[in-house]
C-alpha cells in the first residue's frame, strides 16, 4: 500500500562517538574507535527510517542556516527524504547532540535545542497535507498542545492517519501542556519512562490505559530490551524484542515508530505492526544511528519470520 508521510517537528544531527573508555579529565584527549554523524529526532529520525522502509516521506521543521544544517539535510536526502519543507533559521543553530557510547552501553548526551525551539505552525506551507496519507508529529511540546491539536485536527478532517511521539521526559505538567493534541492522535508512541512519568501509574499497562483515556486511539510503548506494549481499547499486549548484537540503541525509538507506522500502512493490525517496529529497532541497534547499514523493508520483515 502506498504511504506518503509528512514528518513534522524535531530534526537533530547526532554525533556518535564509539569506543569511549572514560570521559577525559581537564584538557586530556583520548583515541576512539568511531565518530559518526546521523540524522535523528522524533520527526527526522523517523522520517529517515520510513524512507528506508519504502514510504514516500516529506520532512517539515526548522534547522539553522549553518554547516550542521547542511550536513543534516544531506543525510536525510541521501536516504530519500524530501527536505524541501525544512526551513532555515538564520539566527538559530541546527539542533545537535553528541553521544559518547561507553562499553557498558551507557550513552550520556550533550544536546542543543537550537532551531527546533523556533519552529511554529507558520513555518509550514499551506499544502503541507496535500497528497499525504499519514502525519507524524515528533515533539508536539515545541508547538504546544493547542497548536499541535490544530494541525492534527486538520489532518484527521482530511482523512489522514495521525501519530505523535514526544521528545521530552515524562512529567504530568508536560502531559497537561500537550493534552489538547491527544484527542486528535490516532497513535501515541512514547517510551516506558514517559508513560510512567506522565501518568504516575504503578504499572506500564495502567499508564497506557490512562493515556487512552485522554482520547488517543492506540498507545504503542517502547520498553528497550523488553520490546513494546500495545494498548487498544481494553486490550494490552506485550510484543517481545528481537535478540541481536547491540552496538548502540540511539534512534531505536524512532526506528520502532517508523516500523510500526509502516506496518499499519501495509494493513497489519497494531500487534503485528509493533512486531515490525521491534524488528526495525533491532536492525538500527546493530549500528550507529538510524541510517547505519543497508536495511530495507525486506530485511526488516525477514526478522519477523
Amino acid at each position: 500500500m502506498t504511504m506518503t508521510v509528512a514528518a513534522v517537528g524535531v530534526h537533530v544531527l547526532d554525533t556518535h562517538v564509539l569506543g569511549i573508555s572514560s570521559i577525559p579529565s581537564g584538557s586530556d584527549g583520548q583515541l576512539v574507535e568511531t565518530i559518526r554523524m546521523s540524522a535523528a529526532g522524533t520527526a527526522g529520525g523517523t522520517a529517515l527510517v520510513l524512507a528506508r522502509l519504502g514510504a514516500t516521506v516529506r520532512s517539515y521543521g526548522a534547522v539553522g542556516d549553518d554547516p550542521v544544517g547542511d550536513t543534516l539535510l544531506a543525510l536525510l536526502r541521501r536516504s530519500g527524504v524530501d527536505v524541501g519543507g525544512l526551513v532555515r533559521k538564520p539566527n538559530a543553530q541546527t539542533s545537535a547532540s553528541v553521544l559518547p557510547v561507553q562499553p557498558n552501553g551507557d550513552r550520556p548526551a550533550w544536546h542543543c535545542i537550537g532551531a527546533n525551539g523556533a519552529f511554529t505552525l507558520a513555518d509550514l506551507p499551506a499544502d503541507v497535507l496535500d497528497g499525504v496519507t499519514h502525519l507524524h508529529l515528533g515533539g508536539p511540546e515545541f508547538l504546544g498542545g493547542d497548536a499541535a491539536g490544530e494541525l492534527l485536527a486538520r489532518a484527521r478532517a482530511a482523512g489522514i492517519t495521525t501519530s505523535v511521539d514526544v521528545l521530552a521526559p515524562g512529567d504530568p505538567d508536560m502531559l497537561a501542556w500537550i493534552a489538547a493534541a491527544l484527542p486528535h492522535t490516532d497513535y501515541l508512541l512514547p517510551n516506558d519512562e514517559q508513560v510512567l512519568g506522565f501518568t504516575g501509574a504503578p504499572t506500564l499497562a495502567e499508564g497506557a490505559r490512562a493515556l487512552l483515556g485522554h482520547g488517543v486511539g492506540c498507545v504503542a510503548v517502547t520498553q528497550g530490551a523488553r520490546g513494546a506494549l500495545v494498548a487498544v481499547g481494553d486490550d494490552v499486549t506485550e510484543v517481545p524484542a528481537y535478540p541481536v548484537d547491540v552496538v548502540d540503541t540511539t534512534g531505536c525509538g524512532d526506528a520502532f515508530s517508523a516500523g510500526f507506522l509502516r506496518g499499519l500502512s501495509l494493513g497489519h493490525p497494531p500487534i503485528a505492526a509493533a512486531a515490525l517496529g521491534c524488528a526495525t529497532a533491532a536492525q538500527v541497534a546493530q549500528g550507529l544511528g538510524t541510517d547505519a547499514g543497508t536495511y530495507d523493508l525486506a530485511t526488516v520483515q525477514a526478522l519477523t519470520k
Side-chain angles (χ1 to χ4, degrees):
M1 177 179 176
T2 300
M3 184 184 197
T4 302
V5 183
V8 179
V10 173
H11 288 72
V12 181
L13 181 71
D14 275 357
T15 299
H16 313 262
V17 186
L18 187 64
I20 299 287
S21 58
S22 63
I23 303 299
S25 60
S27 298
D28 291 345
Q30 182 183 118
L31 292 177
V32 297
E33 178 183 329
T34 303
I35 298 176
R36 187 177 191 275
M37 295 179 180
S38 67
T42 44
T46 304
L48 187 150
V49 180
L50 277 166
R52 283 282 190 95
L53 299 181
T56 298
V57 187
R58 308 198 301 253
S59 265
Y60 297 91
V63 298
D65 189 12
D66 55 11
V68 179
D70 295 342
T71 302
L72 177 55
L73 267 60
L75 290 170
L76 289 166
R77 285 194 198 98
R78 189 168 70 178
S79 288
V81 177
D82 180 343
V83 298
L86 288 171
V87 298
R88 308 298 294 261
K89 298 282 188 178
N91 297 318
Q93 82 147 77
T94 300
S95 180
S97 295
V98 177
L99 302 149
V101 183
Q102 300 185 63
N104 66 355
D106 288 346
R107 47 182 177 89
W110 294 279
H111 179 67
C112 177
I113 292 174
N116 286 323
F119 176 62
T120 70
L121 289 186
D123 292 312
L124 295 174
D127 63 353
V128 60
L129 299 178
D130 289 0
V132 169
T133 62
H134 194 106
L135 169 67
H136 177 69
L137 177 57
E141 64 270 28
F142 288 92
L143 291 174
D146 290 342
E150 177 186 334
L151 176 61
L152 293 163
R154 281 175 53 201
R156 289 272 290 271
I160 296 168
T161 301
T162 62
S163 60
V164 168
D165 187 4
V166 181
L167 182 64
D171 180 271
D173 291 338
M174 180 56 65
L175 182 64
W177 175 245
I178 64 169
L182 300 182
H184 310 291
T185 301
D186 293 318
Y187 300 96
L188 182 64
L189 305 166
N191 62 41
D192 48 1
E193 292 179 355
Q194 288 173 322
V195 171
L196 297 176
F198 287 150
T199 65
T203 68
L204 197 57
E206 291 174 85
R209 288 193 182 99
L211 291 173
L212 290 176
H214 286 266
V216 175
C218 169
V219 180
V221 188
T222 55
Q223 305 182 82
R226 292 182 57 193
L229 177 146
V230 178
V232 185
D234 294 328
D235 297 326
V236 177
T237 305
E238 298 267 359
V239 178
Y242 292 89
V244 293
D245 293 328
V246 175
V247 173
D248 179 31
T249 59
T250 305
C252 286
D254 301 330
F256 172 85
S257 295
F260 177 78
L261 298 173
R262 188 71 176 107
L264 294 173
S265 79
L266 296 171
H268 299 339
I271 303 307
L276 192 66
C278 288
T280 308
Q283 181 66 57
V284 168
Q286 296 176 77
L288 287 178
T290 50
D291 60 348
T294 57
Y295 69 90
D296 57 14
L297 180 59
T299 306
V300 172
Q301 287 175 321
L303 269 181
T304 67
K305 296 175 181 176

